[in-house]
Amino acid sequence: TGKFFVGGNWKCNGTKDSISKLVSDLNSAKLEPDVDVVVAPPFLYLDQVKSSLTDRIEISGQNSWVGKGGAFTGEISVEQLKDIGCKWVILGHSERRHVIGEDDQFIGKKAAYALNEGLGVIACIGEKLEEREAGKTFDICFQQLKAFADAVPSWENIVVAYEPVWAIGTGKVASPQQAQEVHVAVRDWLKKNVSAEVASKTRIIYGGSVNGGNSAELAKEEDIDGFLVGGASLKGPEFATIVNAVT
Ligand code: 13P
Protein backbone atom coordinates (compact mmCIF):
# COMPACT_ATOMS: atom_id res chain seq x y z
CA THR A 1 0.00 0.00 0.00
CA GLY A 2 1.56 3.26 -1.08
CA LYS A 3 5.22 4.07 -0.95
CA PHE A 4 7.30 2.23 1.67
CA PHE A 5 7.86 4.57 4.63
CA VAL A 6 10.77 4.29 7.07
CA GLY A 7 11.09 6.59 10.05
CA GLY A 8 14.00 6.82 12.47
CA ASN A 9 12.93 7.87 15.94
CA TRP A 10 16.09 9.00 17.70
CA LYS A 11 14.18 9.50 20.99
CA CYS A 12 16.17 11.31 23.71
CA ASN A 13 19.59 10.34 22.35
CA GLY A 14 22.60 12.10 20.92
CA THR A 15 24.95 15.03 21.28
CA LYS A 16 26.04 17.63 18.73
CA ASP A 17 29.02 15.39 17.90
CA SER A 18 27.24 12.05 17.65
CA ILE A 19 24.45 13.62 15.60
CA SER A 20 26.90 15.23 13.23
CA LYS A 21 28.46 11.78 12.65
CA LEU A 22 25.04 10.16 12.15
CA VAL A 23 24.03 12.87 9.65
CA SER A 24 27.21 12.40 7.67
CA ASP A 25 26.65 8.61 7.59
CA LEU A 26 23.09 9.18 6.37
CA ASN A 27 24.25 11.67 3.75
CA SER A 28 26.63 9.13 2.27
CA ALA A 29 24.26 6.14 2.50
CA LYS A 30 22.74 4.66 -0.65
CA LEU A 31 18.98 4.76 -0.17
CA GLU A 32 16.40 3.15 -2.43
CA PRO A 33 14.72 6.00 -4.33
CA ASP A 34 11.21 4.62 -3.93
CA VAL A 35 11.06 4.85 -0.13
CA ASP A 36 9.93 7.79 2.01
CA VAL A 37 12.60 8.34 4.66
CA VAL A 38 12.09 10.49 7.74
CA VAL A 39 14.15 11.02 10.89
CA ALA A 40 12.97 12.46 14.19
CA PRO A 41 15.86 13.99 16.15
CA PRO A 42 15.38 15.50 19.62
CA PHE A 43 13.94 19.03 19.31
CA LEU A 44 17.23 20.66 20.32
CA TYR A 45 19.03 19.22 17.31
CA LEU A 46 16.33 19.66 14.65
CA ASP A 47 17.91 22.82 13.29
CA GLN A 48 21.39 21.26 13.16
CA VAL A 49 19.99 18.20 11.37
CA LYS A 50 17.83 20.19 8.95
CA SER A 51 20.78 22.34 7.88
CA SER A 52 23.25 19.47 7.44
CA LEU A 53 21.13 16.50 6.30
CA THR A 54 20.44 15.71 2.66
CA ASP A 55 17.00 16.86 1.42
CA ARG A 56 16.41 13.22 0.45
CA ILE A 57 15.46 12.64 4.09
CA GLU A 58 12.64 14.59 5.74
CA ILE A 59 12.61 15.56 9.39
CA SER A 60 9.96 15.04 12.05
CA GLY A 61 9.21 16.20 15.56
CA GLN A 62 8.88 13.52 18.25
CA ASN A 63 5.91 15.32 19.80
CA SER A 64 4.09 18.65 19.56
CA TRP A 65 1.95 20.90 21.71
CA VAL A 66 -1.81 20.38 21.41
CA GLY A 67 -2.61 23.88 20.14
CA LYS A 68 -1.14 27.21 19.22
CA GLY A 69 2.03 28.16 21.07
CA GLY A 70 2.09 30.58 23.98
CA ALA A 71 2.50 30.28 27.73
CA PHE A 72 3.22 26.53 27.81
CA THR A 73 6.57 26.11 29.52
CA GLY A 74 8.68 23.33 28.08
CA GLU A 75 6.48 22.67 25.06
CA ILE A 76 7.19 22.97 21.32
CA SER A 77 4.45 24.10 18.94
CA VAL A 78 3.46 22.77 15.53
CA GLU A 79 4.22 26.23 14.10
CA GLN A 80 7.77 25.99 15.44
CA LEU A 81 8.24 22.51 13.99
CA LYS A 82 7.14 23.82 10.60
CA ASP A 83 9.38 26.86 10.95
CA ILE A 84 12.42 24.64 11.48
CA GLY A 85 11.52 22.53 8.42
CA CYS A 86 9.63 19.53 9.81
CA LYS A 87 7.13 17.79 7.57
CA TRP A 88 6.00 15.28 10.20
CA VAL A 89 5.35 14.75 13.88
CA ILE A 90 5.20 11.48 15.83
CA LEU A 91 2.15 11.40 18.10
CA GLY A 92 0.90 8.84 20.61
CA HIS A 93 4.23 7.08 20.95
CA SER A 94 4.06 4.46 23.70
CA GLU A 95 6.67 6.31 25.75
CA ARG A 96 4.44 9.41 25.74
CA ARG A 97 1.38 7.32 26.57
CA HIS A 98 2.85 5.09 29.26
CA VAL A 99 5.88 6.94 30.65
CA ILE A 100 4.62 10.52 30.39
CA GLY A 101 0.89 9.73 30.73
CA GLU A 102 -0.74 11.22 27.63
CA ASP A 103 -4.24 9.84 27.02
CA ASP A 104 -6.19 9.02 23.86
CA GLN A 105 -8.19 12.25 23.82
CA PHE A 106 -5.15 14.49 24.28
CA ILE A 107 -3.29 12.62 21.54
CA GLY A 108 -6.29 12.87 19.22
CA LYS A 109 -6.44 16.63 19.75
CA LYS A 110 -2.75 16.94 19.02
CA ALA A 111 -3.17 15.00 15.78
CA ALA A 112 -6.08 17.17 14.68
CA TYR A 113 -4.16 20.35 15.39
CA ALA A 114 -1.00 19.19 13.59
CA LEU A 115 -2.93 17.99 10.52
CA ASN A 116 -4.96 21.19 10.32
CA GLU A 117 -1.68 23.13 10.31
CA GLY A 118 -0.29 20.97 7.51
CA LEU A 119 2.06 18.58 9.30
CA GLY A 120 1.93 14.86 8.54
CA VAL A 121 1.24 12.68 11.58
CA ILE A 122 2.88 9.37 12.43
CA ALA A 123 0.09 8.04 14.65
CA CYS A 124 1.33 5.36 17.03
CA ILE A 125 -0.76 2.59 18.54
CA GLY A 126 0.07 -0.67 20.27
CA GLU A 127 -0.71 -3.00 23.15
CA LYS A 128 1.29 -3.81 26.27
CA LEU A 129 2.42 -7.35 27.03
CA GLU A 130 -0.29 -7.98 29.63
CA GLU A 131 -2.91 -6.76 27.17
CA ARG A 132 -1.66 -9.15 24.49
CA GLU A 133 -1.61 -12.01 27.01
CA ALA A 134 -5.18 -11.16 28.01
CA GLY A 135 -6.27 -11.38 24.36
CA LYS A 136 -6.92 -7.64 24.17
CA THR A 137 -4.51 -6.70 21.38
CA PHE A 138 -7.16 -5.74 18.84
CA ASP A 139 -9.38 -3.99 21.42
CA ILE A 140 -6.51 -1.76 22.55
CA CYS A 141 -5.35 -0.97 19.02
CA PHE A 142 -8.90 -0.19 17.87
CA GLN A 143 -9.54 2.03 20.90
CA GLN A 144 -6.37 4.03 20.19
CA LEU A 145 -7.21 4.17 16.50
CA LYS A 146 -10.76 5.36 17.24
CA ALA A 147 -9.41 8.26 19.31
CA PHE A 148 -7.43 9.38 16.25
CA ALA A 149 -10.36 8.75 13.90
CA ASP A 150 -12.80 10.70 16.08
CA ALA A 151 -10.50 13.72 16.16
CA VAL A 152 -8.81 14.08 12.80
CA PRO A 153 -10.14 16.12 9.87
CA SER A 154 -8.77 13.75 7.22
CA TRP A 155 -6.56 10.67 6.84
CA GLU A 156 -4.63 12.04 3.88
CA ASN A 157 -1.52 12.89 5.83
CA ILE A 158 -1.45 10.11 8.42
CA VAL A 159 0.83 7.10 8.67
CA VAL A 160 -0.24 4.57 11.31
CA ALA A 161 2.62 3.03 13.29
CA TYR A 162 1.81 -0.25 15.04
CA GLU A 163 4.31 -0.55 17.85
CA PRO A 164 3.58 -3.30 20.36
CA VAL A 165 4.95 -2.01 23.66
CA TRP A 166 6.53 -5.38 24.50
CA ALA A 167 8.65 -5.15 21.37
CA ILE A 168 9.97 -1.63 21.89
CA GLY A 169 13.59 -1.52 22.98
CA THR A 170 13.45 -5.13 24.17
CA GLY A 171 15.05 -6.96 21.28
CA LYS A 172 11.83 -9.02 21.10
CA VAL A 173 10.65 -8.15 17.61
CA ALA A 174 7.13 -9.23 16.62
CA SER A 175 7.22 -12.11 14.17
CA PRO A 176 6.23 -11.18 10.62
CA GLN A 177 2.98 -13.12 11.19
CA GLN A 178 2.22 -11.33 14.49
CA ALA A 179 2.74 -7.93 12.89
CA GLN A 180 0.88 -8.79 9.70
CA GLU A 181 -2.12 -10.04 11.70
CA VAL A 182 -2.48 -6.71 13.52
CA HIS A 183 -1.86 -4.66 10.37
CA VAL A 184 -4.66 -6.54 8.60
CA ALA A 185 -6.97 -5.92 11.56
CA VAL A 186 -6.09 -2.21 11.56
CA ARG A 187 -6.76 -1.94 7.84
CA ASP A 188 -10.04 -3.75 8.29
CA TRP A 189 -11.00 -1.40 11.12
CA LEU A 190 -10.26 1.60 8.88
CA LYS A 191 -12.38 0.09 6.15
CA LYS A 192 -15.36 -0.42 8.45
CA ASN A 193 -15.03 2.81 10.41
CA VAL A 194 -13.51 5.34 8.03
CA SER A 195 -13.67 4.26 4.39
CA ALA A 196 -12.45 1.64 1.96
CA GLU A 197 -10.32 4.27 0.28
CA VAL A 198 -8.59 5.33 3.48
CA ALA A 199 -8.07 1.67 4.40
CA SER A 200 -6.35 0.93 1.13
CA LYS A 201 -4.29 4.13 0.96
CA THR A 202 -3.10 4.49 4.56
CA ARG A 203 0.37 3.19 5.21
CA ILE A 204 0.63 0.99 8.28
CA ILE A 205 4.21 0.69 9.48
CA TYR A 206 5.66 -1.56 12.17
CA GLY A 207 7.92 -0.55 15.05
CA GLY A 208 9.58 -2.48 17.87
CA SER A 209 13.11 -3.92 17.74
CA VAL A 210 13.38 -3.60 13.97
CA ASN A 211 17.00 -3.99 12.89
CA GLY A 212 19.17 -4.66 9.87
CA GLY A 213 18.77 -8.40 10.36
CA ASN A 214 15.00 -8.76 10.69
CA SER A 215 13.68 -5.96 8.47
CA ALA A 216 13.73 -7.85 5.16
CA GLU A 217 11.51 -10.69 6.46
CA LEU A 218 9.04 -8.22 7.95
CA ALA A 219 8.98 -6.13 4.77
CA LYS A 220 7.76 -9.14 2.79
CA GLU A 221 4.40 -9.07 4.56
CA GLU A 222 1.66 -7.65 2.40
CA ASP A 223 0.36 -5.14 4.96
CA ILE A 224 3.66 -3.95 6.43
CA ASP A 225 4.20 -0.67 4.58
CA GLY A 226 7.34 0.42 6.36
CA PHE A 227 8.96 0.76 9.76
CA LEU A 228 9.40 3.08 12.70
CA VAL A 229 12.87 2.36 14.02
CA GLY A 230 14.30 3.36 17.40
CA GLY A 231 17.70 2.02 18.47
CA ALA A 232 18.82 0.86 15.04
CA SER A 233 18.12 4.30 13.56
CA LEU A 234 21.04 5.70 15.57
CA LYS A 235 23.44 3.79 13.32
CA GLY A 236 23.53 5.24 9.80
CA PRO A 237 24.56 2.11 7.86
CA GLU A 238 22.08 -0.13 9.69
CA PHE A 239 19.27 2.37 9.19
CA ALA A 240 20.10 2.41 5.46
CA THR A 241 19.83 -1.41 5.40
CA ILE A 242 16.35 -1.11 6.92
CA VAL A 243 15.32 1.58 4.42
CA ASN A 244 16.44 -0.73 1.62
CA ALA A 245 14.79 -3.82 3.13
CA VAL A 246 11.78 -3.54 0.85
CA THR A 247 13.72 -4.59 -2.24
P1 13P B 1 13.23 0.24 19.07
O1 13P B 1 13.46 0.09 17.59
O2 13P B 1 14.43 0.74 19.80
O3 13P B 1 12.62 -0.99 19.65
O4 13P B 1 12.14 1.41 19.24
C1 13P B 1 11.00 1.38 18.45
C2 13P B 1 10.27 2.66 18.61
O5 13P B 1 9.74 2.96 19.67
C3 13P B 1 10.23 3.58 17.47
O6 13P B 1 9.36 4.63 17.70
Side-chain angles (χ1 to χ4, degrees):
T1 303
K3 213 174 181 188
F4 209 70
F5 183 106
V6 178
N9 176 7
W10 298 357
K11 307 191 181 184
C12 186
N13 292 294
T15 60
K16 283 199 278 186
D17 281 353
S18 72
I19 285 174
S20 139
K21 163 88 168 66
L22 179 50
V23 166
S24 97
D25 286 348
L26 290 172
N27 285 344
S28 59
K30 260 197 76 184
L31 303 176
E32 279 301 319
D34 206 30
V35 179
D36 283 336
V37 186
V38 176
V39 294
F43 291 133
L44 274 176
Y45 302 104
L46 278 170
D47 196 32
Q48 178 192 338
V49 171
K50 180 63 193 168
S51 61
S52 54
L53 183 65
T54 166
D55 288 340
R56 165 71 183 88
I57 302 176
E58 290 181 328
I59 61 167
S60 172
Q62 296 178 13
N63 181 30
S64 57
W65 176 237
V66 68
K68 199 166 143 53
F72 304 105
T73 302
E75 291 295 328
I76 302 286
S77 72
V78 167
E79 290 77 8
Q80 291 170 327
L81 292 179
K82 289 197 302 181
D83 184 42
I84 226 79
C86 287
K87 293 279 190 289
W88 296 91
V89 62
I90 298 172
L91 293 173
H93 191 277
S94 84
E95 287 140 24
R96 299 228 51 99
R97 291 178 187 274
H98 305 303
V99 183
I100 289 113
E102 293 189 11
D103 67 21
D104 282 344
Q105 278 61 41
F106 191 54
I107 295 162
K109 270 195 203 166
K110 287 185 173 196
Y113 189 81
L115 290 164
N116 279 327
E117 295 303 312
L119 275 190
V121 169
I122 301 169
C124 304
I125 61 171
E127 82 288 0
K128 298 190 210 170
L129 182 60
E130 62 263 34
E131 293 164 340
R132 172 163 284 260
E133 286 173 343
K136 291 189 193 154
T137 297
F138 290 175
D139 289 349
I140 296 295
C141 289
F142 295 166
Q143 175 195 317
Q144 294 173 348
L145 211 49
K146 182 173 188 310
F148 282 114
D150 286 348
V152 300
S154 140
W155 281 78
E156 205 133 302
N157 231 350
I158 302 180
V159 170
V160 174
Y162 169 57
E163 300 205 298
V165 181
W166 48 270
I168 296 179
T170 57
K172 290 185 190 151
V173 64
S175 69
Q177 295 70 27
Q178 281 176 321
Q180 168 68 11
E181 181 189 35
V182 178
H183 286 220
V184 168
V186 165
R187 210 179 292 291
D188 195 49
W189 188 93
L190 289 173
K191 188 171 174 186
K192 289 192 183 121
N193 295 280
V194 184
S195 74
E197 196 195 358
V198 164
S200 75
K201 281 193 180 158
T202 301
R203 288 171 292 182
I204 305 169
I205 65 176
Y206 168 79
S209 296
V210 174
N211 62 37
N214 59 31
S215 49
E217 278 303 307
L218 287 159
K220 282 185 193 151
E221 294 296 331
E222 171 94 26
D223 291 276
I224 298 182
D225 305 317
F227 300 115
L228 190 56
V229 186
S233 73
L234 298 171
K235 297 171 220 153
E238 183 167 8
F239 185 65
T241 301
I242 297 168
V243 167
N244 298 336
V246 68
T247 52

